[in-house]
Amino acid sequence: MSVESKLAARGLTLPSPPQPLGSYTAVSQAGDLLFISGQLPLRDGKVVWQGQVGQDLTVEQGKQAAELAALNVLAQINAHLGGFERLDHIVRVEGYVTSAPGMVSQPAVIDGASDLFADVLGERAGHARAVYAQSQQPANAAVILVVIAQVKPAR
């Protein structure tokens, strides 16, 4: 089953890849590694989930923000590679969660991204992960994901 079919089974579609919010590229490839710049929970150019998890948003809403950011990661990979056939696997995920003081559930929030990757990429989703609490982030985004992926050689 294709990535798009697995997304559809979850009621999701692959969006157009969001444009960078500054002077940088969304994806940079070095050898067989893709470095995907921070992806926000953007939909149609707007940050959908804003504010601090634990104050403005619940952990469940934070997970939804992480899932949307992960969907944008997949859109960037798809656009850069022209599909998912050459994606070997997700190597590393860094999740930055805008957190209220005392909120310590950042790993549960970023599980929203890891779970989406696992559901749609299967064995290609296995990744190392780091999670960070932030008091404020660009565009007041609740979550930002930075991802490194490995690609297979072109045939």
Side-chain angles (χ1 to χ4, degrees), residues 18 20 28 35 39 54 56 62 67-68 70 95 101 105-106 111 122 132 142 148:
S28 179
F35 295 85
Q39 297 297 300
D56 307 309
E67 179 180 90
L68 181 53
S105 299
Q106 291 84 5
D111 281 347
Y132 306 97
I148 301 171

Side-chain angles (χ1 to χ4, degrees), residues 24-136:
Y24 58 91
T25 60
V27 180
S28 179
Q29 185 167 351
D32 65 346
L33 295 177
L34 295 182
F35 295 85
I36 297 126
S37 294
Q39 297 297 300
L40 285 64
L42 288 168
R43 184 178 295 125
D44 300 323
K46 295 185 172 112
V47 178
V48 175
W49 298 102
Q50 292 182 311
Q52 292 182 326
V53 178
Q55 178 177 307
D56 307 309
L57 303 171
T58 65
V59 170
E60 186 56 39
Q61 290 171 318
K63 286 179 80 165
Q64 292 174 28
E67 179 180 90
L68 181 53
L71 193 60
N72 288 326
V73 167
L74 293 174
Q76 296 293 357
I77 292 170
N78 181 60
H80 185 81
L81 296 177
F84 294 98
E85 295 77 26
R86 289 189 50 222
L87 175 65
D88 186 74
H89 73 287
I90 303 294
V91 175
R92 179 175 169 86
V93 173
E94 291 184 10
Y96 299 85
V97 181
T98 309
S99 304
M103 199 287 261
V104 294
S105 299
Q106 291 84 5
V109 169
I110 300 304
D111 281 347
S114 294
D115 292 347
L116 178 71
F117 291 147
D119 285 352
V120 302
L121 296 175
E123 64 187 33
R124 298 184 294 172
H127 56 270
R129 188 174 92 175
V131 179
Y132 306 97
Q134 307 292 310
S135 62
Q136 191 171 18

